[in-house]
Amino acid sequence: MIRRYVFGSPIETDAVLCKPEAAVWQEGRLLLRDNVFCCGLKEDEIVYGLGQNVRGINKRGWIYESNCTDDPQHTECKTSLYGAHNFLILDGEKKCGIFVDTPAKVTFDIGYTDYEQMRIAPATPDFEFYLIEEESLDGVVSTFRKLIGRSFIPPLWAFGYGQSRWGYDSAEGVRQVAAGYRDKHLPIDSIYLDIDYMERYKDFTINEDTFPDFDRLIGQMKEQGIHLVPIIDGGVKKEDGYDVYEEGKAGGYFCKDADGEDFVIGVWPGKSCLPDMLNEEAGSWFAHKYKILLDKGIDGFWNDMNEPAIFYSEKGLREVFEKIDEYRTQNLDVDTFFAFQNMVADISSSPKDYGAFYHNYKGKRYCHKEVHNLFGYYMTRRASEAFEELSPKKRILLFSRASCIGMHRYGGVWQGDNSSWWSHLLMNIRMMPSLNMCGFLYTGADLGGFGDNTTEDLLIRWLSFGVFTPLMRNHSIRGTRMQEAYRFRSMHLMRDVIGVRYKLLPYLYSEYMKAALRDEMMFRPLGFVYGKDKLARRVEDQLMLGTSIMIAPVYEQNAEGRTVYFPEPMKLIRFHGGEIQEEGVYPKGFAYVEMPLGDVCVFLKENRILPLSKGGENVEEVDFEDLTLYCFGEKVQPYEYYRDDGESRVYDLKSGIRILTV
Amino acid sequence: MIRRYVFGSPIETDAVLCKPEAAVWQEGRLLLRDNVFCCGLKEDEIVYGLGQNVRGINKRGWIYESNCTDDPQHTECKTSLYGAHNFLILDGEKKCGIFVDTPAKVTFDIGYTDYEQMRIAPATPDFEFYLIEEESLDGVVSTFRKLIGRSFIPPLWAFGYGQSRWGYDSAEGVRQVAAGYRDKHLPIDSIYLDIDYMERYKDFTINEDTFPDFDRLIGQMKEQGIHLVPIIDGGVKKEDGYDVYEEGKAGGYFCKDADGEDFVIGVWPGKSCLPDMLNEEAGSWFAHKYKILLDKGIDGFWNDMNEPAIFYSEKGLREVFEKIDEYRTQNLDVDTFFAFQNMVADISSSPKDYGAFYHNYKGKRYCHKEVHNLFGYYMTRRASEAFEELSPKKRILLFSRASCIGMHRYGGVWQGDNSSWWSHLLMNIRMMPSLNMCGFLYTGADLGGFGDNTTEDLLIRWLSFGVFTPLMRNHSIRGTRMQEAYRFRSMHLMRDVIGVRYKLLPYLYSEYMKAALRDEMMFRPLGFVYGKDKLARRVEDQLMLGTSIMIAPVYEQNAEGRTVYFPEPMKLIRFHGGEIQEEGVYPKGFAYVEMPLGDVCVFLKENRILPLSKGGENVEEVDFEDLTLYCFGEKVQPYEYYRDDGESRVYDLKSGIRILTV
């Protein structure tokens, strides 16, 4: 059951496709006071949701803001990451979903100020508010997802393993990465190009010095079964003579300041302008520029810097330099010194700058801060819509850093610029179901960690979880330790682990597509499946993956195993040294399971089928028909196996699914 | 067995009191190449030690530097915290301790570059190197600890609970904190004064406006059974007419720059000078200033900013302002913008500044960077030595932020400026045994977390671990959420938890004193006790506390219990609602134990005695004779119960210990 309430004059986000009739607000469990929704939380009540954010699967005990933010320090004390996902579920006596549909900020105090109280505070009085009540948690999710529309479906090849780094700064460097993998028979399907490939970070350009004959490089990679996936930034370099800039300027496509002049910010190339992605004409103009790369044979993109990240605004920077002069002559003490240091640190992504430029959206002028969370969404949507026109038959891979609900229909998200921290591996695990609820199925984190130096064991453990996530990409920042799998002594373990992905692929793709086409989750917290099991509900580091298996990744350094909670009897399937080993059945309860580095373990439910392929060195090599069906139990249920060509834009559950039985 | 090796011409640190004859280096397991000691690490070999640093009890898989560092962001990617503790233990087939005795930096690559290799690289060729081989891990520790001398012993009252905050900025504010605790019958023994009490952050001054009649405040607090513990900073404000500065200047007591002028840095008060703590005359001069506060009735201090922290040097700041002018006119792109921002962020604690001033130590002039790790050590040592003279009969509480081995004889350490992060509660747990090995017994972390906003549940969980740590202090930074126990809805749970401390006190003090007087550890990893139990050796989140109990704190938000590994049968003693409940005996193996918020659980070993008192609202109220002895088993061993007057400086195991039996 859905109820929709309209408060004030909301700005349309297009998050919801088919809106139910608006109802008159009536107080129930939620009280509304001064634009804040409040309710008490029972002692054992769990609050799920909020997509991409910090902390647990259960969001209780912290305060969150939906406010797309470019902040790479994903520590527990943060309140926002790159996405704004205003959907949550109360798992109390009744199961209740809440969605706040607004492009502006919303604050969710979920037992932070008072552990037994929840407060939801939209920043403005203009928003739509949805309440969904269903019998089950899955039911709430499904109803919500039907409301917001089908999740993005990438091409099949995008389920292969990808290697990325900010720092592949020449065609030769890219070739070396490809060779590093192929020569050592480490499976791979894609290499990502970070900002290095562009000419001085200008969108839709190629650095001809370092990437001469880019088309040939693309072709060579294709021959090796490797897709090149370039990055596209949200800001366009302000440079006379640069055609994209000139066109944007002439067309009036850039966001304007209060005086109607193009708003100038600093990002990678230095001074830049922001295409008004929200505006249909401007966004579409920008989106059609992707054709430059599509025409070269590129079939996948990642959209970055689209919170939008603002290193500085021209005006903000000038003010800072002026204020610095005031500090020069002072005795800098505890107050003034840190004020000086913080002023320089806080130049970037400042609220002041977000209040200083304007969009032309659906025929009206809006200050950016009113519609902040739509920028990454619309950048990705415009591109996706252009791809339907430019590539009507073939799916194009597309995922984004910033997002909000609505964007899930147009692209995936990676989980932002994380760090090579064990705690971020755990965060990656926890974010999967939270994002799935909100419609983001194609997602994954930078395996091995983006910032800071990785370690060999962290990378292996992260890959061992990454084999399950639809987006499986190893990515890192320049200046840190290189983390391509072939660089390590235990490369053979990495080969084994990455190889598991390709064995799992038929199951993963089948589960992904069923989740997408049925508006379901691929990764679920245990509490969704075993809601009456008090211990299962508390589990924060294991996930149900599709209908057949549970996973329990290792995320602690030097661990050689871990305790696992079995909510029902399950059989251990162990991937070890390229082999698949069927081990014992664990009874309901806790057990310690040995998981040495390089082993990947999945736990098969009784009477369910896990189909596994023979694997391959890229997706094309995987034989989706030559499957081994693993199962145990007396009453094995048939498995609904979804397949399609992995490429065309026509999806049909009926024709795609066939039944596997043993 | 100890072997001592001397390389080059080491600078004496006085870490080791009684040196064995130097031996000639002979290669054994450790190879020495180009001033780097290398050895392989077996697959299941554990490396313990390094005192205060990030990551696990097992230090494998990361690279560490012994380099006292004022950096409050204690994330996994850091390599140094506030202390420099160059002792580690290899727990392979043989048990081998390694101590690098040097005041300069040492790098420990413990399986970072290669998981199977360890490399120890002193920054200079001048150092002493100790190898200790014993049959057991405890044996290695004991031999090392005898080498470095007896650990600091605080007064008994310092085992009580303390409340602290940077922000108690008036006598009235302090009185309110005291009343907040006493009125609500929340136990407390001390209130800490951060830099607020001083007149513009000048050491050994009192702000007469905000703390009028400071002596009366001290007296009032004493009447309530509360000790005031003021902070002392490592830097002295450079201000004409300020007597401490004038004396220091006149006496030539400050560290000098290359030209022989007083080296000027910026810290809390702005421009300041650093007393040459390493120099006996200068350090002693500074240490005798504590008398100003002792004479008022103060009997405890914490030494801060003594890495030493340098917000900026006068010269460094000038250079930054000059360089800023160069950035003004540029198009700030990815390279230049971050260079500008980082330059300002990196003003503080810069290696350049640490290379720009000089000490006069043991009759020689040393550049600071050569002796960096001695500053906090000697600041604390000089104070401690002065206290022996100024307070010969009564122990004075003293602990420090910066430290290195040697300082353990003169004071404790708090675990630095942590954050209100769940991961820092876990780090606190893990640091206890690591610090104990290195001689630091009087230690604890800022409960509830210093930086960032705490949550009610985090504070309760952290207090629930803090009841075990010798230093039990709740501390936070100004600008964050207030975290005094009486401010929360669940104050009754906080009362229960803090109350547990006072019930445990006879056992804790007895175990502390035995550990100190016998050169043992109070907190041990399970692997020290159950070395042949593969699973026990892997445990990173449970500790053995003294001879009788094991603890297994909860450190995850929303957890209502946790899995515990029992290496042998143990009985659960649960502190709940002010009561002590004896629960069942868990057999060897894993079990899930319910631990709701507010409960404190300890696990009693078979045939061991845990003596518990009736508790009290401060240490004085605790009756150390009215004990209940908890135990189970057929052959209960007598308990060695240590007591003394908790105040005098005479300690004697023989007269202090008596045997408790059931």
Side-chain angles (χ1 to χ4, degrees):
Chain A
M1 189 270 302
I2 311 178
R3 268 167 302 180
R4 168 171 166 258
Y5 305 98
V6 179
F7 295 91
S9 310
I11 301 170
E12 181 56 53
T13 65
D14 291 357
V16 174
L17 290 178
C18 185
K19 296 189 181 185
E21 192 83 15
V24 177
W25 175 253
Q26 280 194 316
E27 272 185 1
R29 191 177 165 197
L30 284 169
L31 307 182
L32 177 58
R33 301 278 181 277
D34 300 326
N35 218 44
V36 179
F37 296 87
C38 306
C39 77
L41 294 173
K42 292 253 168 69
E43 196 185 336
D44 65 343
E45 190 156 6
I46 294 177
V47 182
Y48 293 105
L50 296 185
Q52 187 184 33
N53 218 316
V54 297
R55 303 225 173 192
I57 292 175
N58 182 357
K59 308 313 283 185
R60 266 182 92 162
W62 193 237
I63 188 165
Y64 310 84
E65 280 184 331
S66 62
N67 185 38
C68 297
T69 303
D70 171 30
D71 176 351
Q73 285 290 106
H74 309 167
T75 47
E76 294 168 41
C77 55
K78 298 302 166 72
T79 53
S80 303
L81 296 175
Y82 307 85
H85 305 136
N86 299 342
F87 175 64
L88 50 81
I89 308 174
L90 300 180
D91 178 17
E93 273 168 55
K94 290 194 173 178
K95 316 300 174 198
C96 170
I98 295 171
F99 174 51
V100 190
D101 189 6
T102 167
K105 200 188 285 188
V106 183
T107 304
F108 299 88
D109 180 341
I110 306 179
Y112 165 71
T113 301
D114 180 334
Y115 192 75
E116 296 190 352
Q117 288 285 328
M118 181 177 78
R119 293 192 189 89
I120 302 176
T124 79
D126 306 300
F127 56 90
E128 302 199 19
F129 192 86
Y130 292 81
L131 274 182
I132 299 170
E133 279 179 21
E134 298 291 348
E135 289 297 306
S136 69
L137 295 168
D138 282 333
V140 172
V141 169
S142 176
T143 299
F144 174 61
R145 295 270 300 285
K146 282 188 198 336
L147 201 63
I148 60 172
R150 203 200 66 214
S151 298
F152 169 72
I153 293 174
L156 177 61
W157 65 262
F159 287 82
Y161 171 72
Q163 179 64 56
S164 184
R165 182 172 172 92
W166 174 12
Y168 295 154
D169 58 4
S170 68
E172 199 40 46
V174 171
R175 284 187 194 99
Q176 280 167 15
V177 173
Y181 277 87
R182 286 284 173 250
D183 291 355
K184 303 294 183 187
H185 299 286
L186 290 151
I188 191 166
D189 270 273
S190 51
I191 295 177
Y192 289 77
L193 299 177
D194 207 315
I195 56 174
D196 316 275
Y197 79 91
M198 293 184 256
E199 194 218 329
R200 286 174 297 130
Y201 317 122
K202 292 188 288 191
D203 276 333
F204 312 112
T205 68
I206 307 293
N207 186 324
E208 300 290 345
D209 291 335
T210 50
F211 286 83
D213 207 348
F214 191 61
D215 303 51
R216 197 172 135 250
L217 177 68
I218 294 169
Q220 285 174 335
M221 290 299 111
K222 278 251 159 94
E223 279 166 29
Q224 297 184 47
I226 293 173
H227 298 253
L228 283 186
V229 185
I231 198 169
I232 305 292
D233 284 330
V236 169
K237 188 172 198 291
K238 180 176 185 290
E239 183 181 276
D240 293 340
Y242 163 39
D243 55 353
V244 178
Y245 169 68
E246 295 283 7
E247 271 182 45
K249 188 178 157 191
Y253 296 146
F254 296 127
C255 292
K256 304 281 187 282
D257 66 17
D259 301 326
E261 299 296 315
D262 289 346
F263 186 68
V264 180
I265 63 166
V267 278
W268 302 125
K271 292 190 181 114
S272 302
C273 293
L274 289 169
D276 186 354
M277 304 295 183
L278 280 65
N279 180 270
E280 200 163 351
E281 191 189 345
S284 174
W285 159 75
F286 185 80
H288 278 79
K289 294 288 166 201
Y290 289 71
K291 185 170 187 298
I292 295 167
L293 291 155
L294 286 173
D295 287 348
K296 292 179 187 294
I298 292 294
D299 47 11
F301 300 91
W302 43 312
N303 283 345
D304 196 13
M305 301 288 285
N306 51 4
E307 293 70 29
I310 298 184
F311 295 165
Y312 59 86
S313 69
E314 219 173 12
K315 197 176 160 209
L317 190 64
R318 201 162 48 232
E319 286 170 5
V320 164
F321 279 125
E322 278 163 22
K323 276 192 213 148
I324 283 174
D325 287 333
E326 295 172 25
Y327 286 111
R328 251 169 227 264
T329 51
Q330 295 182 37
N331 172 27
L332 296 185
D333 65 8
V334 50
D335 297 309
T336 45
F337 177 71
F338 291 115
F340 160 60
Q341 250 187 350
N342 293 339
M343 180 182 73
V344 174
D346 294 345
I347 295 174
S348 300
S349 302
S350 92
K352 203 170 163 188
D353 287 337
Y354 286 131
F357 65 97
Y358 296 83
H359 294 271
N360 188 335
Y361 177 54
K362 293 186 187 281
K364 276 194 186 170
R365 183 170 174 266
Y366 292 102
C367 177
H368 175 75
K369 69 179 173 194
E370 297 177 86
V371 292
H372 174 70
N373 291 330
L374 297 184
F375 195 91
Y377 164 14
Y378 273 94
M379 177 184 180
T380 303
R381 176 176 177 165
R382 301 299 181 207
S384 178
E385 288 171 341
F387 296 160
E388 283 183 46
E389 179 194 326
L390 299 168
S391 172
K393 297 225 165 129
K394 227 180 73 175
R395 306 176 205 167
I396 302 294
L397 169 63
L398 181 62
F399 58 93
S400 174
R401 194 169 69 182
S403 65
C404 77
I405 290 173
M407 201 205 85
H408 68 284
R409 301 194 298 268
Y410 306 100
V413 290
W414 85 97
Q415 291 169 13
D417 296 345
N418 64 3
S419 301
S420 297
W421 300 353
W422 290 86
S423 55
H424 282 185
L425 165 50
L426 179 58
M427 189 157 74
N428 181 193
I429 297 167
R430 291 173 171 171
M431 235 184 252
M432 295 304 296
S434 302
L435 277 165
N436 273 199
M437 287 171 214
C438 299
F440 293 91
L441 296 181
Y442 190 76
T443 184
D446 290 348
L447 305 176
F450 178 65
D452 298 318
N453 293 317
T454 201
T455 63
E456 192 166 356
D457 51 345
L458 175 61
L459 178 57
I460 294 173
R461 291 299 189 189
W462 216 326
L463 289 170
S464 302
F465 173 65
V467 296
F468 301 113
T469 63
L471 169 59
M472 183 190 181
R473 179 176 76 145
N474 175 338
H475 183 41
S476 58
I477 192 174
R478 67 176 186 182
T480 59
R481 184 179 195 174
M482 305 289 278
Q483 63 191 39
E484 294 77 17
Y486 54 82
R487 293 187 188 275
F488 295 91
R489 190 182 43 76
S490 56
M491 184 180 66
H492 62 291
L493 296 182
M494 312 242 183
R495 184 188 297 119
D496 293 345
V497 171
I498 299 170
V500 172
R501 169 61 157 218
Y502 293 83
K503 294 188 172 74
L504 282 168
L505 200 61
Y507 178 71
L508 294 178
Y509 186 70
S510 170
E511 291 300 318
Y512 184 94
M513 292 301 292
K514 287 187 292 180
L517 298 175
R518 289 172 171 163
D519 300 310
E520 292 173 350
M521 293 161 70
M522 185 177 172
F523 290 86
R524 287 184 296 170
L526 270 58
F528 273 55
V529 181
Y530 309 97
K532 288 184 180 160
D533 179 337
K534 190 176 70 174
L535 295 175
R537 290 178 80 237
R538 294 180 191 171
V539 171
E540 285 268 346
D541 58 1
Q542 303 173 203
L543 298 172
M544 304 309 297
L545 198 185
T547 49
S548 301
I549 62 173
M550 180 178 81
I551 56 174
V554 171
Y555 52 87
E556 296 267 356
Q557 190 157 33
N558 296 313
E560 297 173 69
R562 55 164 288 181
T563 52
V564 176
Y565 179 67
F566 294 94
E568 62 170 310
M570 292 184 186
K571 186 187 188 68
L572 168 54
I573 309 284
R574 182 187 299 275
F575 298 86
H576 170 84
E579 303 294 314
I580 301 170
Q581 298 168 356
E582 289 189 75
E583 299 195 5
V585 174
Y586 287 88
K588 179 174 161 70
F590 285 93
Y592 183 88
V593 180
E594 294 279 341
M595 300 185 196
L597 272 182
D599 279 17
V600 176
C601 293
V602 305
F603 302 97
L604 178 59
K605 290 174 70 168
E606 195 168 5
N607 294 321
R608 298 285 183 167
I609 290 172
L610 173 65
L612 295 174
S613 84
K614 300 280 174 296
E617 287 187 27
N618 71 355
V619 169
E620 265 188 44
E621 279 189 20
V622 175
D623 186 338
F624 281 67
E625 292 303 320
D626 183 12
L627 303 175
T628 306
L629 307 186
Y630 290 81
C631 61
F632 79 105
E634 299 298 312
K635 297 175 185 169
V636 176
Q637 295 173 41
Y639 178 72
E640 293 185 309
Y641 182 47
Y642 178 92
R643 271 204 74 185
D644 61 19
D645 65 9
E647 185 175 281
S648 72
R649 291 175 178 275
V650 186
Y651 322 100
D652 180 37
L653 263 177
K654 264 196 191 155
S655 64
I657 284 182
R658 70 172 195 273
I659 303 300
L660 303 183
T661 52
V662 284
Chain B
M1 188 271 299
I2 311 177
R3 269 167 300 181
R4 167 173 166 257
Y5 305 98
V6 178
F7 295 90
S9 310
I11 300 170
E12 182 55 55
T13 65
D14 291 356
V16 174
L17 291 178
C18 184
K19 295 189 180 183
E21 192 83 17
V24 177
W25 175 253
Q26 281 194 314
E27 271 183 2
R29 191 176 165 196
L30 284 169
L31 306 182
L32 176 59
R33 299 282 181 275
D34 300 326
N35 218 44
V36 179
F37 296 86
C38 306
C39 78
L41 295 172
K42 291 254 168 68
E43 196 185 336
D44 65 343
E45 192 157 6
I46 293 177
V47 182
Y48 292 106
L50 296 185
Q52 188 184 32
N53 219 316
V54 297
R55 304 226 172 193
I57 292 175
N58 182 358
K59 308 313 284 185
R60 267 183 91 162
W62 193 236
I63 188 165
Y64 310 85
E65 280 185 330
S66 62
N67 185 39
C68 296
T69 303
D70 171 30
D71 177 351
Q73 286 290 106
H74 308 167
T75 46
E76 293 168 43
C77 55
K78 298 303 165 70
T79 53
S80 303
L81 296 175
Y82 307 85
H85 306 136
N86 301 341
F87 176 64
L88 51 81
I89 308 174
L90 300 181
D91 180 16
E93 272 168 56
K94 291 193 173 179
K95 316 300 173 198
C96 171
I98 294 171
F99 175 50
V100 189
D101 190 7
T102 168
K105 200 188 287 188
V106 183
T107 304
F108 299 88
D109 180 341
I110 306 179
Y112 164 71
T113 301
D114 179 336
Y115 193 75
E116 296 190 352
Q117 288 284 328
M118 181 176 77
R119 293 193 188 88
I120 303 176
T124 78
D126 307 299
F127 57 89
E128 302 199 19
F129 192 86
Y130 292 82
L131 275 182
I132 299 170
E133 279 178 21
E134 298 291 348
E135 290 297 307
S136 68
L137 294 168
D138 283 333
V140 172
V141 169
S142 177
T143 298
F144 174 62
R145 295 270 300 284
K146 283 189 198 339
L147 201 65
I148 59 172
R150 204 200 65 214
S151 297
F152 169 71
I153 293 174
L156 178 59
W157 66 260
F159 287 83
Y161 172 72
Q163 178 63 56
S164 183
R165 182 173 173 90
W166 173 11
Y168 296 155
D169 58 4
S170 69
E172 201 38 47
V174 172
R175 283 188 194 98
Q176 280 168 13
V177 173
Y181 276 88
R182 286 286 174 248
D183 291 354
K184 302 293 184 188
H185 300 286
L186 290 151
I188 190 166
D189 269 273
S190 51
I191 295 176
Y192 288 78
L193 300 176
D194 207 314
I195 56 174
D196 316 276
Y197 79 93
M198 294 184 256
E199 193 218 332
R200 284 174 296 129
Y201 317 120
K202 292 188 288 190
D203 277 333
F204 312 114
T205 67
I206 308 293
N207 185 325
E208 300 289 347
D209 292 334
T210 49
F211 287 84
D213 208 348
F214 190 61
D215 303 52
R216 195 170 138 254
L217 177 68
I218 296 169
Q220 286 173 334
M221 290 298 112
K222 279 252 158 93
E223 279 166 28
Q224 297 184 45
I226 293 173
H227 298 254
L228 284 185
V229 185
I231 199 169
I232 305 293
D233 283 330
V236 168
K237 186 172 199 293
K238 181 175 184 288
E239 181 181 277
D240 292 341
Y242 162 39
D243 55 354
V244 178
Y245 170 68
E246 294 284 6
E247 271 183 45
K249 187 178 158 192
Y253 296 146
F254 296 127
C255 292
K256 304 281 185 283
D257 67 15
D259 300 327
E261 300 296 317
D262 289 346
F263 185 69
V264 180
I265 62 165
V267 278
W268 304 123
K271 289 188 182 119
S272 302
C273 293
L274 290 168
D276 186 354
M277 304 294 183
L278 280 65
N279 180 270
E280 199 162 352
E281 192 189 343
S284 175
W285 160 76
F286 185 81
H288 278 78
K289 294 289 165 202
Y290 288 72
K291 186 171 185 297
I292 295 167
L293 291 156
L294 287 173
D295 287 348
K296 293 179 188 290
I298 293 293
D299 47 10
F301 300 90
W302 43 312
N303 284 344
D304 196 14
M305 300 289 284
N306 51 4
E307 292 70 28
I310 297 182
F311 295 165
Y312 58 87
S313 69
E314 220 173 11
K315 198 177 158 207
L317 190 64
R318 202 161 48 231
E319 286 170 4
V320 164
F321 279 125
E322 279 163 22
K323 275 191 211 147
I324 283 175
D325 287 333
E326 295 173 24
Y327 287 110
R328 252 170 226 264
T329 50
Q330 294 182 37
N331 172 28
L332 294 185
D333 65 8
V334 51
D335 297 310
T336 46
F337 177 71
F338 291 115
F340 160 60
Q341 250 187 350
N342 293 339
M343 181 182 73
V344 174
D346 294 345
I347 294 173
S348 300
S349 302
S350 90
K352 202 170 165 189
D353 288 336
Y354 287 131
F357 65 99
Y358 296 84
H359 296 271
N360 187 335
Y361 177 55
K362 293 185 187 283
K364 276 194 185 167
R365 181 169 175 270
Y366 291 102
C367 179
H368 175 76
K369 71 179 173 194
E370 295 177 88
V371 292
H372 174 70
N373 292 330
L374 297 184
F375 194 90
Y377 164 15
Y378 271 95
M379 176 183 182
T380 302
R381 176 176 177 166
R382 300 301 181 204
S384 177
E385 287 170 343
F387 296 160
E388 282 184 45
E389 180 194 325
L390 299 168
S391 173
K393 297 224 166 129
K394 228 180 73 175
R395 306 175 206 168
I396 302 294
L397 170 63
L398 182 62
F399 59 93
S400 176
R401 193 169 69 182
S403 66
C404 77
I405 289 173
M407 202 207 85
H408 69 285
R409 301 194 298 270
Y410 305 101
V413 289
W414 85 96
Q415 290 168 14
D417 297 345
N418 64 4
S419 302
S420 296
W421 301 352
W422 291 86
S423 55
H424 281 184
L425 165 51
L426 179 58
M427 189 156 74
N428 181 193
I429 297 166
R430 291 173 171 172
M431 237 186 250
M432 295 304 295
S434 302
L435 277 164
N436 273 200
M437 288 172 213
C438 298
F440 293 92
L441 295 182
Y442 190 77
T443 185
D446 290 347
L447 306 176
F450 178 67
D452 298 319
N453 292 317
T454 200
T455 63
E456 193 166 358
D457 52 342
L458 175 61
L459 178 56
I460 294 174
R461 291 298 188 189
W462 215 327
L463 289 170
S464 302
F465 174 64
V467 296
F468 302 113
T469 63
L471 169 60
M472 184 190 179
R473 181 176 73 146
N474 175 337
H475 184 42
S476 58
I477 193 173
R478 68 176 185 180
T480 59
R481 184 179 195 172
M482 305 289 277
Q483 62 191 42
E484 294 77 17
Y486 54 82
R487 293 187 188 274
F488 294 91
R489 191 181 44 76
S490 56
M491 184 181 65
H492 61 291
L493 297 181
M494 312 244 182
R495 185 190 296 119
D496 294 343
V497 170
I498 299 170
V500 172
R501 169 60 157 218
Y502 292 83
K503 296 188 171 74
L504 282 168
L505 200 61
Y507 177 73
L508 293 178
Y509 187 68
S510 170
E511 291 299 320
Y512 185 95
M513 292 301 293
K514 288 188 291 182
L517 299 174
R518 288 173 172 162
D519 300 310
E520 292 173 352
M521 293 160 72
M522 184 176 171
F523 291 86
R524 287 184 295 171
L526 270 59
F528 273 55
V529 181
Y530 308 96
K532 288 182 180 161
D533 179 338
K534 189 178 70 175
L535 295 175
R537 290 178 80 237
R538 293 180 191 172
V539 171
E540 286 268 344
D541 59 0
Q542 304 173 205
L543 297 172
M544 305 308 298
L545 199 184
T547 49
S548 301
I549 61 173
M550 179 178 81
I551 57 174
V554 171
Y555 52 88
E556 295 267 357
Q557 189 156 33
N558 297 314
E560 296 173 70
R562 54 163 288 181
T563 52
V564 177
Y565 179 66
F566 294 95
E568 61 171 309
M570 292 185 186
K571 186 186 186 69
L572 167 54
I573 310 283
R574 181 188 299 274
F575 297 87
H576 170 83
E579 303 294 314
I580 301 170
Q581 299 169 354
E582 289 189 75
E583 300 194 6
V585 175
Y586 287 87
K588 179 175 161 68
F590 285 93
Y592 183 88
V593 181
E594 294 279 341
M595 300 185 196
L597 271 182
D599 279 16
V600 176
C601 293
V602 305
F603 302 96
L604 178 60
K605 290 174 68 168
E606 195 167 6
N607 294 319
R608 298 286 183 165
I609 290 172
L610 174 66
L612 295 174
S613 84
K614 301 280 177 291
E617 289 189 26
N618 71 353
V619 169
E620 264 188 46
E621 279 190 18
V622 175
D623 187 339
F624 280 68
E625 291 304 319
D626 183 11
L627 302 175
T628 306
L629 307 185
Y630 290 82
C631 62
F632 79 104
E634 298 298 313
K635 297 176 183 169
V636 177
Q637 295 173 42
Y639 178 72
E640 293 185 310
Y641 182 48
Y642 178 92
R643 272 205 73 186
D644 60 20
D645 65 8
E647 183 175 283
S648 73
R649 290 174 178 277
V650 186
Y651 323 100
D652 180 36
L653 264 178
K654 264 195 189 155
S655 64
I657 285 182
R658 71 173 194 274
I659 303 300
L660 304 183
T661 52
V662 286

